[in-house]
Each structure stands twice: as structure tokens, then as C-alpha cells.
Amino acid sequence: MKNIFMARAIQLSIDGVQSGRGGPFGAVIVRDGKIVAEGMNQVTSTNDPTAHAEILAIRQACEKLGVFELKDCELYTSCEPCPMCLGAIYWARLRRIYFANTAQDAARIGFDDSFIYSQLKQSPSLRSIPTIQIMREEALAGFRAWTEKLDRIPY
């Protein structure tokens, strides 16, 4: 059964390239043995650098299921997720990730995430994009509002 879902993710990656929507990446989210969402990379066609296959599939699954956590779902993706997608996968709390191509395979065709991974390890002041903290005390008001809100929905 798993091969069917991965085959669909791979087909989405090919379809995305052939349609001109974006890069060679496809993803499906599965719950109870059924596909609940699909995504293909649409970065270039939507001018949205976050329109990765996994992100689009997560958004679609959450909307369709009416939830913000996908604890009972699995992700099948044509390539090992990038740092942004991996973060989204963890925030969505997917149960399992299956991937086909590796990050090294992606790097060989120009999709190299190693720089981003190296930046994540740096302190903010040492990153290549200047990252400067300002107005922390004022911003803590938002955190206080969150902790004081009795009917907040934790996530």
C-alpha cells in the first residue's frame, strides 16, 4: 500500500515539472489508508517561496480535516524535506514521514539546503542575513496576553 502513496507523490513531482508549476517535488498526506491531501511544488508559478509540496499538502489536509494537528496522518514525499518543510511537519505533528529522493539527490540538481542547515546552527547575530533583536520588552506583552488567556487553544 505504501508504494501506491509514494508513487502518487512521485507522479505529482513529475506533473509539477511538466506543467511548469514548479520544482520536482510532490507530497501526499494519508489517513486511515486514504489520501486526504496532495501537494506539488508551486514556488515559481505562485511567486511564493513557501509553496513547497509538503507545505501545500499540510495546508490542504488541515483545511479538509478541520484540524491544525495531523497526529493520525502520514506524509509521503518525493524528496527528503527541506528545513522549512521539516519544521512544518513537526508543527503539524504528522505521525510518520516516508521520502524517496535524498537531500543529497536534490543538492545534485541545484536544490541544496545545506546552507540553511548551517545558518540554523548559528546564533542570530552571526547569520548571513542580519538578525537584530529589538523591542523585546514591548513584545513580551503578547506573551503575557497568551498566558493570561483562559480559553486559549494550546498547540
Side-chain angles (χ1 to χ4, degrees):
M1 193 73 139
K2 292 175 182 148
N3 289 346
I4 293 169
F5 302 133
M6 185 58 76
R8 179 62 185 150
I10 293 167
Q11 187 59 54
L12 287 166
S13 76
I14 296 166
D15 292 349
V17 171
Q18 292 175 341
S19 70
R21 289 187 178 155
F25 305 97
V28 298
I29 294 179
V30 174
R31 184 175 78 169
D32 298 329
K34 294 183 175 70
I35 294 175
V36 296
E38 298 182 341
M40 68 174 66
N41 183 287
Q42 296 182 36
V43 168
T44 57
S45 62
T46 61
N47 294 317
D48 179 354
T50 69
H52 290 202
E54 297 91 337
I55 300 290
L56 296 176
I58 288 168
R59 290 175 184 165
Q60 186 183 99
C62 289
E63 184 176 345
K64 183 176 181 180
L65 299 173
V67 298
F68 58 85
E69 293 180 332
L70 301 170
K71 292 180 179 180
D72 56 350
C73 297
E74 298 176 332
L75 173 73
Y76 292 79
T77 180
S78 64
C79 187
E80 187 175 354
C82 75
M84 176 184 68
C85 292
L86 192 58
I89 290 163
Y90 274 91
W91 277 113
R93 293 172 174 80
L94 284 143
R95 180 172 53 197
R96 187 170 288 119
I97 305 165
Y98 296 97
F99 69 94
N101 292 313
T102 67
Q104 293 79 19
D105 295 330
R108 279 193 283 279
I109 63 163
F111 296 94
D112 189 354
D113 299 326
S114 61
F115 176 74
I116 297 170
Y117 280 112
S118 72
Q119 289 291 292
L120 291 171
K121 295 175 188 174
Q122 299 288 333
S123 70
S125 64
L126 297 176
R127 293 181 184 151
S128 66
I129 296 175
T131 307
I132 302 110
Q133 182 181 23
I134 61 172
M135 296 183 68
R136 178 178 178 264
E137 289 304 316
E138 294 85 350
L140 286 172
F143 283 3
R144 282 191 297 276
W146 172 257
T147 58
E148 293 167 3
K149 184 174 175 58
L150 299 178
D151 62 345
R152 69 180 179 262
I153 301 171
Y155 60 95

